[in-house]
């Protein structure tokens, strides 16, 4: 380690930031639901798996790409609506932890169902983007990563526009700010929750396709939630901006640590490093980067 | 300073000891164990007020909950704090109990002053409180809800408790005796072993008072102790509060909306409006204070205005 | 969420005295069960049931009674298992029971470290931080060969179970060994919950701020809950490794295992000692039943893969069912059933 290779550092950093975008993509699905209903939806990962598996299985059975996409989209919306209807609504007004545990059960059900339906083998998923590296200013960047970042940016832009400019989006923000007030002025909460769960299904589809193309579509895809959780903790469960910034921070520091720290401890630290960063950070700011800091009322 | 503190902590014991003979209802438990009762030095200087606030200010985001409030409550007084909803009454109690940290100003408890009162040490500082919304431990019985407030007086560790060593047993017996006395004092005997959330709202409020009292505070903060009660229950509660002061010498600061009850119960009244103290005085003075009538009493007949934040 | 359980246990709907059921269970467990023929019952059902019950009991102390959700129980089982192995291996002449006790202590220490965030974090933030324990412990045990005495695949083999010269290596012996440890720890936990310390746990769970105001040390209470819970779970891990599986690897203590233990207390009943046992029983027995039923109805189609998936679906559905329909778990369900039976036949039946 004589001489610091800044070129190499930059490459690692950019690679990390781009993989961070992939984390953010998953985290956004969580934020959507958490903001409106205060639920940490652990099943987001299994929804992602379900979406990717459904899509890839349809394509493998000869369904055209675009049709498969539409069908999967429909399936995910229906799934989101069904979850809201059968699991969330009966548990309304229960403590958030109860709802969280329900989503744990949900993730078991969806994972089981997805694999019972489509089998357990690994599927390759080709989105038609070749993964050749391109050079930008002397730094090698994966084309696929850039594409994923583009998709993520588009999705954030769309979601932001949705919340800013549509009626239902505004209602959503009202609910996020104050459920009681929203209720009082006659917003129909179940309708909003249903919309949000359907939207989370769509986000799961997008994230599932990108992650599936990256890792292959298989059971372990549902474990990407475990990557998203530290991102959420860092960014705050209720902030989309936090999900993005948190994802970038975690992606970058994880890669840097793996490269520069890993050799000293025998590598493989990515399974927990993100958690340690998130925890260390939390001890300083218990509500995350952009989470709302609440003074407990008494 | 520590001497003064000692003085103030042990003073109620003396009051209790002297009143226990007269007060048949409370006598038994309070004389069981007087190990804590270090006699205050005779001829100690006149005690500082039980509570003093100096220019306390607190804002939440843009909302100013408390603005430059000064307050002096002499020892042994019953002080009511009134004001419309959102006036900052609860915030004030939360500042005194250290749950909120004021942006500016200081809080004096006896002879000690704090930027932020350490909530975890509140009981040791001789302060107990109840909450506007019930804050009982719903998984525990009435008895256990009350006895647990002896926690700060107990030194035995969990292993001692598990094995049942002498010290643990002694502390337990003491805590139980004091709890039994409070239960008798507040007439909760019929409900001792019930889970708290099986009781009526009014009774739960009384259990919360019992939990505050078992620590034998010199300063008792009550945030709307009579909210949601029937007129009869309110009178009963007011009777208990007065008895606490009369028998234990406890200083009481309470928030209450029912002007009738407040006028009858309190020695002095402080009126808050939009976080400012707009008046301070005896019930008779407050009743005729034009500022108060303008800001508050003028609409006070409309009780709902004040009672909807239960 | 837990009040009904507690009210049920305090109002005691049964007509038998309080000591009747525990004594009856002990009499059967020690006096009858060991004489059952065959090893299947012991090796496949009772011993894992005991180890898992103990783990569930430990988690219930933390999550059910103290209100701190943990998703890292398996990590503490792993610490217990590997610590017991190393104490036994490296300190010659150390009695087995002492090794297991020290394993519990090691787990408690790790528990305190990972419990520290609970002093600042609540709810989901805390739950997520307990995942750190899960991943960090597993990584450590895999990464440093020392923990498995440099076994190339990180596997540890259980020593012979000998206490005071008596061997407990046969299936029935291992069952009795586990049973005795579980009985002792359960009795101690039961007693602890009735002391001030136990009430402090419940107070912190039910209203942390009020607990703080009345002078219950929230810091000490939470860390103690983490320590005691991890102690019990650590011992459960040692039993899992020594009495049940006999050879274990770190991967056996994965996130799925943590969730399994959490599911046991949700299904059995939060903040209930009996609940831990009921939940463990269901989790141990239900795959066996499911595989029998599946084989019966679907024959060959119901292979191990399908079984695994349907098991996940049914388990997930059960969790949701209990959370919606009976948040106090099997314990409350049982109590309700018994009450109904008693009221439908008002004659004084003494059990
Ligand atoms: N924890 C808090 N976070 C934000 N705002 C608060 C908080 N507590 C009180 N407030 C605000 O401070 C003002 C005073 O509230 P409070 O002290 O509860 O009034 P009162 O008890 O007189 O009804 C209100 O505007 C209230 O919304
Ligand atoms: Mg108030």
């Amino acid at each position: 380690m004589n001489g610091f290779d800044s070129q190499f550092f930059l490459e690692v950093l950019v690679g990390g930031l781009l993989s961070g975008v992939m984390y953010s993509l998953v985290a956004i699905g969580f934020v959507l639901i958490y903001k409106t209903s205060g639920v940490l939806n652990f099943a987001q990962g299994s929804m992602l798996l379900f979406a990717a598996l459904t899509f890839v299985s349809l394509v493998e059975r000869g369904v055209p790409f675009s049709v498969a996409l539409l069908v999967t989209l429909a399936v995910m919306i229906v799934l989101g609506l069904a979850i809201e209807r059968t699991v969330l609504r009966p548990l309304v007004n229960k403590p958030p932890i109860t709802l969280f545990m329900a989503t744990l059960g949900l993730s078991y059900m969806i994972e089981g169902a997805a694999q019972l339906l489509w089998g357990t083998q690994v599927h390759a998923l080709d989105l038609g983007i070749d993964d050749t590296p391109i050079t930008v200013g002397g730094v090698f960047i994966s084309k696929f990563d850039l594409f994923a970042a583009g998709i993520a940016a588009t999705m954030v832009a769309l979601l932001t526009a949705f919340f800013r400019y549509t009626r239902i989006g505004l209602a959503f923000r009202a609910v996020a700010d104050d459920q009681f007030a929203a209720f009082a002025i006659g917003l129909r909460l179940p309708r909003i929750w249903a919309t949000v769960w359907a939207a989370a299904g769509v986000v799961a589809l997008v994230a599932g396709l990108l992650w599936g193309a990256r890792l292959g579509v298989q059971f372990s895809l549902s474990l990407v939630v475990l990557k998203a959780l530290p991102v959420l903790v860092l960014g705050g469960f209720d902030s989309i901006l936090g999900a993005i910034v948190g994802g970038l921070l975690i992606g970058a520091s994880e890669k840097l640590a793996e490269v520069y720290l890993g050799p000293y401890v025998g590598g493989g630290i990515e399974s927990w490093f993100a958690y340690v960063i998130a925890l260390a950070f939390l001890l300083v700011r218990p509500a995350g980067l952009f989470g709302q800091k609440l003074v407990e009322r008494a | 300073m520590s001497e003064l503190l000692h003085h103030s902590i042990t003073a109620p014991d003396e009051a209790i000891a002297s009143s226990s003979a007269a007060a048949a209802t409370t006598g038994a438990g309070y004389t069981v164990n007087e190990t804590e009762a270090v006699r205050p030095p005779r001829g100690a200087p006149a005690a500082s007020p039980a509570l003093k606030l100096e220019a306390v200010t607190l804002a939440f985001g843009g909302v100013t909950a408390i603005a430059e409030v000064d307050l002096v409550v002499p020892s042994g007084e019953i002080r009511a704090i009134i004001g419309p909803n959102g006036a900052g009454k609860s915030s004030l109690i939360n500042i005194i109990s250290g749950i909120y940290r004021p942006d500016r100003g200081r809080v004096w408890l006896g002879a000690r002053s704090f930027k932020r009162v350490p909530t975890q040490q509140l009981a040791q500082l001789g302060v107990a409180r109840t909450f506007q919304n019930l804050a009982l431990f719903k998984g525990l019985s009435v008895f256990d809800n009350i006895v647990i407030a002896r926690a700060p007086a107990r030194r035995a560790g969990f292993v001692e408790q598990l094995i049942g060593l002498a010290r643990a047993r002694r502390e337990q017996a003491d805590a139980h005796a004091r709890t039994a006395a409070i239960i008798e004092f507040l007439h909760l005997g019929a409900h001792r072993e019930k889970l708290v959330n099986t009781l009526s709202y009014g009774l739960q409020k009384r259990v919360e008072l019992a939990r505050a009292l078992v620590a034998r505070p010199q300063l008792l903060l009550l945030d709307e102790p009579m909210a949601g009660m029937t007129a009869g229950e309110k009178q009963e509660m007011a009777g208990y509060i007065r008895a606490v002061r009369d028998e234990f010498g406890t200083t009481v600061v309470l928030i209450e909306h029912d002007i009738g009850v407040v006028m009858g119960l309190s020695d002095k009244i402080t009126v808050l409006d939009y976080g400012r103290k707009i008046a301070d005085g005896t019930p008779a003075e407050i009743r005729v204070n034009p500022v108060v009538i303008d800001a508050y009493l003028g609409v006070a007949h409309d009780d709902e205005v004040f009672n909807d934040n239960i | 969420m837990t009040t009904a359980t507690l009210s049920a246990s305090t109002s005691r709907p049964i007509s038998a005295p309080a000591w009747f059921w525990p004594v009856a269970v002990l009499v059967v467990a020690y006096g009858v069960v060991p004489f059952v023929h065959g090893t299947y019952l012991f090796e496949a059902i009772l011993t894992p049931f005991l180890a898992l019950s103990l783990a569930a009991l430990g988690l219930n102390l933390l999550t059910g009674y103290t209100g701190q959700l943990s998703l890292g129980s398996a990590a503490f089982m792993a610490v217990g298992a590997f610590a017991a192995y190393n104490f036994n291996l490296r300190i010659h002449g150390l009695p087995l029971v002492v090794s297991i006790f020290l394993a519990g202590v090691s787990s408690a220490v790790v528990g305190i470290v990972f419990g520290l965030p609970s002093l600042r974090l609540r709810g989901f933030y805390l739950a997520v931080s307990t995942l750190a324990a899960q991943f960090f412990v597993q990584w450590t045990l895999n990464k440093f060969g020392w923990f498995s005495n440099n076994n190339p695949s990180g596997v540890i083999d259980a020593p012979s179970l000998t206490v005071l010269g008596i061997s407990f290596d046969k299936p029935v012996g291992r069952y009795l060994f586990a049973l005795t440890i579980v009985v002792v720890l359960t009795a101690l936990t039961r007693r602890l919950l009735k002391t001030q310390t136990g009430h402090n746990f419940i107070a912190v769970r039910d209203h942390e701020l009020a607990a703080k105001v009345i002078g219950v040390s929230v810091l000490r209470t939470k860390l103690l809950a983490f320590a005691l819970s991890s102690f019990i779970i650590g011992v459960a891990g040692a039993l899992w490794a020594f009495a049940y599986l006999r050879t274990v690897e770190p991967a056996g203590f994965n996130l799925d295992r943590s969730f399994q233990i959490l599911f046991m207390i949700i299904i059995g009943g939060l903040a209930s000692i009996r609940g831990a046992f009921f939940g463990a029983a269901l989790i141990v027995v239900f795959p066996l039943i499911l595989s029998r039923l599946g084989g019966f109805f679907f024959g060959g189609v119901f292979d191990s893969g399908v079984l695994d998936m349907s098991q996940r679906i049914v388990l997930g559905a059960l969790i949701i069912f209990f959370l919606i329909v009976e948040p106090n778990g099997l314990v409350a369900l049982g109590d309700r059933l018994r009450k109904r039976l008693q009221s439908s036949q008002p004659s004084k039946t003494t059990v």
Side-chain angles (χ1 to χ4, degrees), chain A residues 34 38-40 42 86-87 90-91 94-98 100-109 111-113 115-116 120 219 223 226 229-230 232-234 236-238 265-269 271-272 275-276 279 282-288 291 296-298, chain C residues 1 63 67 69 71 114 116-118 120-133 135-137 139-140 143-144 207-209 255-257 259-260 262-263 266 270 305-320 323-325 327:
Chain A
Y34 187 86
V39 184
L40 179 60
F42 197 85
T86 55
V87 180
L91 285 173
K94 289 282 167 64
I97 289 291
T98 304
F100 169 71
M101 294 195 278
T103 66
L104 265 181
L106 199 57
S107 76
Y108 267 56
M109 283 186 78
E111 275 164 24
Q115 294 178 90
L116 203 59
T120 48
F219 173 75
L223 298 181
L226 300 174
L229 286 175
L232 289 162
V233 163
L234 192 64
F237 284 118
D238 49 6
V265 290
I269 61 175
S271 72
W272 54 266
Y275 283 88
V276 172
L279 264 185
L282 271 187
L283 295 181
V284 186
R285 266 191 72 105
E296 197 175 352
R297 285 190 185 240
Chain C
M1 192 199 278
T63 301
L69 179 60
L71 302 176
F114 284 99
L116 285 173
S118 74
R120 295 227 38 192
L121 310 180
R122 296 240 165 82
F124 299 133
Y125 288 95
L126 177 65
V128 171
S129 83
T130 59
L131 282 174
F135 299 126
F136 186 76
V137 166
W139 176 83
T140 309
K143 217 69 213 176
F144 302 99
H207 207 299
E208 189 175 323
L209 189 62
L255 190 58
D256 259 354
R257 175 86 53 224
F259 285 159
Q260 189 185 43
L262 178 64
F263 290 169
I266 297 174
L270 285 163
V306 174
L307 171 66
D308 204 41
M309 290 313 136
S310 22
Q311 203 176 309
R312 282 185 98 80
I313 296 178
V314 178
L315 189 56
L318 269 178
I319 297 298
I320 295 173
L323 288 173
I324 293 177
V325 179

Side-chain angles (χ1 to χ4, degrees), chain A residues 8-18 251-252 255-256:
Chain A
F8 178 62
F9 175 84
L10 208 63
E11 234 164 74
V12 174
L13 181 69
V14 171
L17 288 174
L18 286 171
K255 276 281 176 338
L256 290 173

Side-chain angles (χ1 to χ4, degrees), chain A residues 298, chain B residues 84-91 94 132-133 223-224 255 257 309:
Chain B
N85 229 338
K89 306 178 298 294
S90 294
S91 297
N94 286 337
Q132 178 169 352
N133 300 303
D223 194 346
E224 305 200 11
I255 296 173
H257 283 298
N309 65 338

Side-chain angles (χ1 to χ4, degrees), chain B residues 120 135 138-139 154 161-162, chain C residues 6 191 196-197 206-207 216:
Chain B
Q120 183 76 72
K138 58 186 170 49
R154 297 171 83 161
Q161 294 175 19
L162 203 54
Chain C
L6 290 162
R191 195 174 150 79
Q196 153 105 47
T197 303
D206 285 348
H207 207 299
V216 170

Side-chain angles (χ1 to χ4, degrees), chain C residues 27-230:
Chain C
V27 166
V28 173
Y30 278 103
V32 179
V33 172
F35 300 101
V36 173
H37 275 290
T39 59
Y40 181 79
L41 176 68
F42 299 100
E43 293 198 308
I45 298 180
L46 288 179
T47 315
F49 158 72
L50 285 169
L52 289 177
S53 302
L54 193 59
L57 179 71
L59 182 62
N60 224 342
L61 200 59
L62 183 66
T63 301
Y65 287 97
T66 318
Q68 313 294 306
L69 179 60
S70 162
L71 302 176
S73 309
F76 300 111
M77 283 181 84
V79 171
F82 281 79
Y85 171 78
N86 279 293
F87 279 118
N88 187 72
L89 177 77
R90 291 168 205 282
I91 305 178
H92 288 285
L94 195 67
L96 182 66
V97 176
V98 178
S99 295
I100 292 181
F101 176 81
L102 291 177
V105 173
S106 313
S107 178
V109 171
V110 178
I112 290 177
V113 171
F114 284 99
L116 285 173
S118 74
L119 305 179
R120 295 227 38 192
L121 310 180
R122 296 240 165 82
F124 299 133
Y125 288 95
L126 177 65
V128 171
S129 83
T130 59
L131 282 174
Q134 178 66 49
F135 299 126
F136 186 76
V137 166
Q138 242 183 311
W139 176 83
T140 309
L141 294 177
N142 271 322
K143 217 69 213 176
F144 302 99
W146 183 87
F147 290 108
S148 55
N149 202 20
N150 294 316
N151 180 300
S153 44
V155 174
I156 55 171
D157 289 309
S160 148
L161 297 188
T162 307
V163 181
L164 302 172
I166 306 165
S167 161
F168 287 89
D169 287 313
K170 297 246 169 55
V172 177
R174 281 186 271 137
Y175 157 76
L176 285 172
F177 182 83
L179 177 66
T180 305
I181 290 182
V182 170
V183 165
V184 169
L185 285 181
T186 305
L188 286 174
T189 305
R190 219 178 112 87
R191 195 174 150 79
L192 181 79
L193 287 169
K194 293 189 173 144
T195 65
Q196 153 105 47
T197 303
H199 292 166
N200 287 354
F201 290 162
I202 294 173
V204 166
R205 173 196 73 193
D206 285 348
H207 207 299
E208 189 175 323
L209 189 62
K212 196 172 177 183
V213 162
I214 63 171
V216 170
S217 170
V218 173
L219 181 141
R220 198 152 11 112
T221 302
K222 281 187 179 173
L223 290 185
L224 186 63
F226 267 96
L228 294 179
S229 157
S230 308

